[in-house]
């Protein structure tokens, strides 16, 4: 494996202006200007929007003027490029009285640090503050807006996010201003709470800490560590162990691969590391912070790419990313800001040439890049991937792993669970799990096979299954690899005991209505791009309507009335149920991931109801008009119960189609595979025919009558029969059903029961959706 680039040797410097001190670390460029998004903002008319930049060139710091209007000055002289060091004094815009900045050496770590972090001096985020500000004796408004007192340049932060208020006794209080992703105090979401010394205020990727009369600012740039301590997961009341005391450290900018035979606990480990299913015992430290305890805040910094694509294949790459940005960023994020972030991610993943192509037209490796791009929108510090190379050829396998290597080098910690061993050489560390969820090896990938005693990976995997008595975990614990790469590499204090069970409420939605509007637009775009769906949706009502029309002829008679109404029932049920029966099961992976990042369950379900309900009702109207427009319905006196006869039948068929749609969603929420939905759709249609009351007498038949109450076509047929007075047209015992009476009471009862069934089915769908959510989100 190639050596990683050598870190810059230049020291950290502190740039002090009249308003703020900024700690400058090697490896980062610091932009100076009037632009509120600059790293060092100078609010002076003589300073250009983009005035200068401070950068580190391996062993020295350099100041470069960016063609500013009024110039940059060092030692009284105008400069274009200048080496700076502790003691350098710089003026911007005027050599005599322009805004002044002085460079000093970075101080030793102060004794006062955030107390909510176990070992702040050993973390990447809290090692040194990025800026130190004096605390004014007034309220400080924090947000993304340029006119905020403390501007936070992070798209997951709202424009008006929070306020740090002074209390009457001289203390401080943090108050959330109805932000999208919430304000956190020591990892817990708060609306308002007192803030004491050492407390951590979390806002997006930024953290603030009160130390004396100063406010220290820390930025999570992504270079964070992960320390896994004694993770244990058991099921079946502890009788089966899925993870058994798994421990290992993951350094900053590290690419870790997790391999092992099937059933070794790889997916269980992934769920424990991401917090989706916390371990029963053990601790996961995110840069020194307990992930489970602070999960409500830290989960925004975790990206997860499941094995199945979290994409709608009908959408273009750009459209898929744009809709995801709408759902994940605050409502006050401008369209231009979202578009800029989408374009940035597209460039980062090398998708420019495919940005306007449908996702389904991409190769497997390219689709995986799009899934990764979706997660990178919010700039996660930890990126987890589950089997990203599954089903890919060796070339694509190598391409995906090389992409992950680049993402880690850019400043992220990347953990990939994989069955493939073709490209392990690009990883920094390799974790091998043995059956029973035990660590068989952790260390450099190149030493794994020799340590395990094999020449090829297939031999090793066969041995895991064959040598069931071999204690792989004990052999590793007693080896120098464990001492060097786990025991001595772990810098965090040990956290014994069970993992805390802390509820993690979802981030406050940008607004339920805004979420719903985005979901409706996205779902409409998905259906509009599905040509097969459009063709079937248009053809079905015309075909079924033509069949009913041919049967009805010029009017309803004793010979054709019952069959005509039955065809309308079957057509409406097929239209509504067929629209919905696959929609939830095929999007299950997408829903699970979006729910994990805060999508409201009710908004997701309502988007399906709105779009599919509109389509189903439109189909029902077309079906009924094609079948009965101009047909003599022979209603008593030519009138319906309360409305014109045709209008009443249209309403009954439309409500039936809508109710059948909710029943289709119920089936889709129940099943585990798309393949079983079509047989169930046929069974559903048969049940509607049998229990609608057109073939069998149901009134007064114990068992059958009560069962028919749950069948939507029973009530729809009753409403249509009541409208036309079916017992008068077809005077037989079957049509003497009380639900068929030509009366306002019977007709309104039939329609009301369709609405009740829709609500019951919808409630059941919402409860079933909960089963498919991450465990931490089930509330």
């Amino acid at each position: 494996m190639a050596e990683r680039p050598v870190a810059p040797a230049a020291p950290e410097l502190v740039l002090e202006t009249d308003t703020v001190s900024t700690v400058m670390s090697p490896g980062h460029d610091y932009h100076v200007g009037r632009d509120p998004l600059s790293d060092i903002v100078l609010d002076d008319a003589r300073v250009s929007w983009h005035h200068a930049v401070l950068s580190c060139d391996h062993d020295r710091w350099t100041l470069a003027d960016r063609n500013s209007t009024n110039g940059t000055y060092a030692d009284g002289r105008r400069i274009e490029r200048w080496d700076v060091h502790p003691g350098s004094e710089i003026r911007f815009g005027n050599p005599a009285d322009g805004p002044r900045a002085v460079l000093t050496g970075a101080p030793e770590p102060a004794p006062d640090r955030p107390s909510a972090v176990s070992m702040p001096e050993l973390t990447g985020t809290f090692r040194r503050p990025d800026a130190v500000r004096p605390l004014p004796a007034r309220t400080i408004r924090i947000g993304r807006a340029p006119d905020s007192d403390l501007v936070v340049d992070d798209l997951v932060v709202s424009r008006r996010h929070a306020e740090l208020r002074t209390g009457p006794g001289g203390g401080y209080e943090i108050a959330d201003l109805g932000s999208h992703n919430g304000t956190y105090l020591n990892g817990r979401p708060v609306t308002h709470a007192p803030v004491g010394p050492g407390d951590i205020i979390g806002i997006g990727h930024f953290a603030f800490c009160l130390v004396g009369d100063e406010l220290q600012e820390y930025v999570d740039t992504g270079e964070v560590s992960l320390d896994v301590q004694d993770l244990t997961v058991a099921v079946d009341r502890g009788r089966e162990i899925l993870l058994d005391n798994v421990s290992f450290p993951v350094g900053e900018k590290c690419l870790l691969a997790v391999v092992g035979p099937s059933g070794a606990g790889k997916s269980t480990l992934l769920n424990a590391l991401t917090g989706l299913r916390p371990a029963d015992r053990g601790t996961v430290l995110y840069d020194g912070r307990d992930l489970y305890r602070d999960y409500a805040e830290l989960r925004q910094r975790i990206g997860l790419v499941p094995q199945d694509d979290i994409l709608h294949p009908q959408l273009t790459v750009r459209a898929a990313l744009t809709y995801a940005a709408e759902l994940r960023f605050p409502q006050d994020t401008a369209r231009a800001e979202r578009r800029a972030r989408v374009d940035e991610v597209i460039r980062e993943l090398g998708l420019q040439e495919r940005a306007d192509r449908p996702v389904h037209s991409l190769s497997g490796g390219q689709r995986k890049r799009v899934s990764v791009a979706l997660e990178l929108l919010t700039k996660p510090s930890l990126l987890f991937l589950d089997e990203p190379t599954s089903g890919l050829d060796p070339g694509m396998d190598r391409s995906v792993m090389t992409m992950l290597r680049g993402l880690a080098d850019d400043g992220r910690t990347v953990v990939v669970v994989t069955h493939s061993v073709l490209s392990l050489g690009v990883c920094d560390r390799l974790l091998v799990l043995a059956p029973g969820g035990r660590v068989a090896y952790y260390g450099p990938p190149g030493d794994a096979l020799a340590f395990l005693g094999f020449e090829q990976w297939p031999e090793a995997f066969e041995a895991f299954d064959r040598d069931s008595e071999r204690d792989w975990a004990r052999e590793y614990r007693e080896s120098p690899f464990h001492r060097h790469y786990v025991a001595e590499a772990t810098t965090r204090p040990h956290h014994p005991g069970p993992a805390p069970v802390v509820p993690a409420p979802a981030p406050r939605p940008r607004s339920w209505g805004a979420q719903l509007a985005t979901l409706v637009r996205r779902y409409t775009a998905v259906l509009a791009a599905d040509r097969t769906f459009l063709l079937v949706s248009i053809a079905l009502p015309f075909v079924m309507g033509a069949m009913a029309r041919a049967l009805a002829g010029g009017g309803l008679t004793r010979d054709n009335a019952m069959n005509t109404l039955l065809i309308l029932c079957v057509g409406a049920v097929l239209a509504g149920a067929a629209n919905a029966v696959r929609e939830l099961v095929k999007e299950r992976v997408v829903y699970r991931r979006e729910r994990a990042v805060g999508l409201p369950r009710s908004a997701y379900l309502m988007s399906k109801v709105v779009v599919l309900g509109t389509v189903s009702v439109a189909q029902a109207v077309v079906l009924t008009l094609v079948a009965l427009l101009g047909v003599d319905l022979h209603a008593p006196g030519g009138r319906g119960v309360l409305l014109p006869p045709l209008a009443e039948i249209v309403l009954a068929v439309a409500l039936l189609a809508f109710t059948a749609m909710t029943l289709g969603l119920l089936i889709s929420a129940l099943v585990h595979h798309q393949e079983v939905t079509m047989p169930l759709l046929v069974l559903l249609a048969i049940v509607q025919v049998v229990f609608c009351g057109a073939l069998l007498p149901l009134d007064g038949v114990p068992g059958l009558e009560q069962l028919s109450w749950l069948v939507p076509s029973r009530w729809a047929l009753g409403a249509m029969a009541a409208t036309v007075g079916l017992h008068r047209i077809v005077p037989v015992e079957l049509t003497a059903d009380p639900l068929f009476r030509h009366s306002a009471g019977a007709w309104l009862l039939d329609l009301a029961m369709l609405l009740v069934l829709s609500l019951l089915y919808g409630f059941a769908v919402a409860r079933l959706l909960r089963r498919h959510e991450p465990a931490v989100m089930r509330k």
Side-chain angles (χ1 to χ4, degrees):
M1 183 180 69
E3 293 293 329
R4 304 273 79 81
V6 178
E12 289 186 335
L13 295 181
V14 177
L15 185 142
E16 298 180 352
T17 66
D18 293 337
T19 57
V20 69
S21 297
T22 302
V23 178
M24 302 192 304
S25 301
H28 298 278
D29 293 341
Y30 294 85
H31 296 267
V32 183
R34 222 170 62 251
D35 182 358
L37 300 182
S38 299
D39 301 288
I40 297 119
V41 180
L42 299 176
D43 189 13
D44 189 295
R46 294 169 295 180
V47 176
S48 296
W49 194 255
H50 301 294
H51 195 103
V53 62
L54 284 150
S55 58
C56 176
D57 184 10
H58 185 56
D59 58 353
R60 65 182 187 276
W61 284 92
T62 301
L63 172 69
D65 186 86
R66 299 185 66 186
N67 299 316
S68 63
T69 302
N70 295 311
T72 304
Y73 301 86
D75 297 334
R77 293 181 297 171
R78 183 163 184 166
I79 57 99
E80 297 298 327
R81 190 174 185 86
W82 190 262
D83 288 348
V84 295
H85 47 76
S88 296
E89 179 177 315
I90 308 163
R91 294 276 184 178
F92 300 93
N94 187 285
D97 61 352
R100 174 176 173 268
V102 175
L103 289 164
T104 63
E108 291 299 316
D112 293 324
R113 288 186 174 275
S115 59
V117 179
S118 59
M119 297 287 282
E121 67 274 10
L122 298 179
T123 70
T125 302
F126 294 97
R127 188 175 294 120
R128 294 184 186 277
D130 293 86
V132 179
R133 307 168 187 274
L135 273 172
R138 60 178 177 81
T139 295
I140 302 174
R141 175 161 289 185
I142 307 172
R144 208 177 72 253
D147 60 350
S148 299
D149 300 305
L150 205 164
V151 179
V152 179
D153 181 21
D154 187 348
L155 279 183
V156 300
V157 174
S158 300
R159 295 179 66 83
R160 300 280 185 264
H161 197 104
E163 286 182 346
L164 185 61
R165 300 168 177 168
T166 56
Y172 285 89
E173 177 189 68
I174 187 67
D176 186 79
L177 300 179
S179 65
H180 170 54
N181 284 311
T183 301
Y184 301 86
L185 184 65
N186 298 327
R188 309 298 175 88
V190 296
T191 53
H192 55 82
V195 181
D199 286 343
I200 296 175
I201 302 169
I203 296 178
H205 290 82
F206 286 67
F208 304 93
C209 182
L210 272 64
V211 177
D213 59 352
E214 296 178 331
L215 183 66
Q216 295 183 352
E217 176 184 304
Y218 301 88
V219 184
D220 185 344
T221 60
E223 297 182 12
V224 301
S225 62
L226 193 68
D227 207 302
V228 180
Q229 300 179 349
D230 302 329
L231 290 191
T232 300
V233 175
V235 294
D236 195 18
R237 298 182 180 180
R239 286 191 287 268
E240 182 180 0
I241 304 297
L242 302 183
L243 285 183
D244 191 357
N245 289 301
V246 173
S247 300
F248 57 89
V250 185
E252 301 171 10
K253 303 171 70 171
C254 177
L255 175 57
L256 165 67
V258 181
V259 301
S262 298
K266 299 187 295 297
S267 296
T268 303
L269 175 63
L270 194 67
N271 287 332
L273 295 181
T274 57
L276 296 180
R277 198 289 189 189
D280 300 315
R281 293 195 307 275
T283 307
V284 179
L285 294 179
Y286 173 103
D287 215 29
R289 301 179 63 179
D290 191 321
L291 175 66
Y292 296 159
R293 188 194 68 186
D294 298 350
Y295 183 70
E297 176 187 354
L298 297 179
R299 69 169 166 198
Q300 301 177 34
R301 309 180 195 178
I302 296 174
L304 172 62
V305 181
Q307 181 174 351
D308 297 321
D309 293 329
I310 46 178
L311 304 161
H312 291 90
Q314 299 88 348
L315 298 177
T316 65
V317 171
R318 191 182 304 278
L321 296 178
T322 299
Y323 283 120
E326 282 192 45
L327 292 171
R328 298 192 182 193
F329 291 147
Q331 188 173 350
D332 57 19
T333 307
R335 180 179 298 179
E337 292 178 295
R338 292 196 301 266
R339 185 185 302 119
R341 179 58 187 155
V342 168
D343 290 342
E344 182 181 354
V345 170
I346 287 174
R347 288 193 301 272
E348 184 176 4
L349 274 299
L351 294 167
Q352 300 96 317
E353 296 181 0
R354 301 170 180 85
D356 298 312
R357 291 174 53 183
V359 172
H360 66 75
S361 69
L362 305 180
S363 66
Q366 292 164 355
R367 287 198 303 273
K368 192 58 63 179
R369 283 177 179 266
V370 180
S371 293
V372 173
L374 190 148
E375 290 299 309
L376 293 186
L377 286 170
T378 54
K379 298 184 177 180
S381 301
L382 290 177
L383 183 62
F384 295 89
L385 301 99
D386 189 6
E387 301 288 354
T389 61
S390 178
L392 301 183
D393 61 57
M396 282 294 182
D397 180 298
R398 181 76 178 181
S399 175
V400 170
M401 293 299 292
T402 302
M403 172 193 69
L404 299 181
R405 172 72 267 163
L407 293 177
D409 290 339
D410 286 342
R412 301 176 187 88
T413 300
V414 181
V415 178
V416 52
V417 172
T418 180
H419 274 110
S420 174
V421 295
L422 298 176
S423 304
L424 297 180
V426 304
C427 302
D428 298 298
R429 292 289 182 267
L430 174 65
L431 172 66
V432 182
L433 289 178
R438 299 180 178 90
V439 177
Y441 175 81
Y442 180 79
D447 297 330
L449 279 174
F451 171 79
L452 295 172
F454 301 98
E455 295 183 358
Q456 303 292 332
W457 280 107
E459 299 174 1
F461 287 155
E462 288 175 359
F464 284 134
D465 292 330
R466 183 181 64 247
D467 301 337
S468 58
E469 300 301 320
R470 182 174 172 180
D471 193 343
W472 303 90
R474 182 185 59 80
E475 292 179 13
Y476 178 70
R477 284 196 306 271
E478 296 174 354
S479 71
F481 286 93
H482 180 271
R483 183 177 65 253
H484 182 68
Y485 293 109
V486 177
E488 296 177 356
T490 301
T491 57
R492 310 286 183 235
H494 193 72
H495 288 245
V501 179
V502 179
R508 187 181 295 106
R510 46 206 270 258
S511 86
W512 189 88
Q515 296 276 60
L516 175 61
T518 299
L519 291 169
V520 167
R521 288 191 292 107
R522 182 180 70 177
Y523 191 38
T524 302
V526 168
L527 294 183
D530 189 338
R531 296 182 179 179
T532 302
F533 175 84
L534 289 178
L535 181 61
V536 173
S537 298
I538 294 172
L540 181 61
F542 283 99
V543 172
M544 296 298 294
M547 291 170 59
R549 180 82 177 206
L551 185 61
L556 298 184
T557 66
R558 180 188 180 99
D559 295 329
N560 65 26
M562 182 66 82
N563 290 334
T564 299
L565 299 183
L566 179 59
I567 290 177
L568 291 179
C569 285
V570 173
V573 168
L574 286 177
N579 289 337
V581 76
R582 296 171 59 247
E583 293 307 302
L584 298 182
V585 64
K586 76 179 184 182
E587 287 189 1
R588 191 154 291 161
V589 176
V590 177
Y591 171 70
R592 186 180 292 121
R593 181 60 193 140
E594 292 185 341
R595 181 76 178 112
V597 297
L599 178 71
R601 182 190 311 145
S602 57
Y604 175 79
L605 178 56
M606 187 56 66
S607 70
K608 300 295 183 186
V609 171
V610 169
V611 177
L612 294 176
T614 301
V615 173
S616 299
V617 168
Q619 289 175 311
V621 172
V622 173
L623 165 65
T624 311
L625 293 179
V626 170
L628 299 181
L629 186 62
V631 173
D632 188 353
L633 301 178
H634 293 295
R639 296 189 300 271
V641 176
L642 296 175
L643 301 171
L646 184 58
E648 288 187 357
I649 293 179
V650 167
L651 182 58
V653 176
L655 276 176
L656 174 59
F658 183 87
T659 307
M661 178 273 300
T662 61
L663 184 55
L665 289 177
L666 179 58
I667 294 173
S668 191
L670 276 169
V671 301
H672 295 283
H673 304 285
Q674 293 187 50
E675 293 77 11
V676 302
T677 57
M678 288 302 106
L680 289 176
L681 179 62
V682 174
L683 177 62
L684 175 64
I686 294 173
V687 169
Q688 302 301 313
V689 171
V690 172
F691 287 94
C692 70
L695 303 180
L696 301 173
L698 300 173
D699 180 49
V701 181
L704 288 183
E705 181 180 17
Q706 289 71 31
L707 187 60
S708 71
W709 293 347
L710 298 175
V711 177
S713 61
R714 166 81 163 129
W715 305 99
L717 181 63
M720 290 187 286
T723 293
V724 301
L726 187 62
H727 184 58
R728 184 180 51 82
I729 301 174
V730 188
V732 295
E733 180 183 358
L734 190 65
T735 60
D737 194 315
L739 296 181
F740 293 1
R741 286 199 305 267
H742 183 74
S743 68
W747 186 74
L748 291 174
L749 173 64
D750 292 330
L751 296 187
M753 283 304 299
L754 286 173
L755 292 175
V756 169
L757 288 177
S758 296
L759 293 176
L760 288 176
Y761 296 151
F763 177 77
V765 173
R767 299 301 297 173
L768 289 170
L769 278 176
R770 181 178 177 273
R771 297 189 315 166
H772 304 296
E773 297 173 358
V776 75
M777 298 297 295
R778 296 173 189 168
K779 298 186 295 179

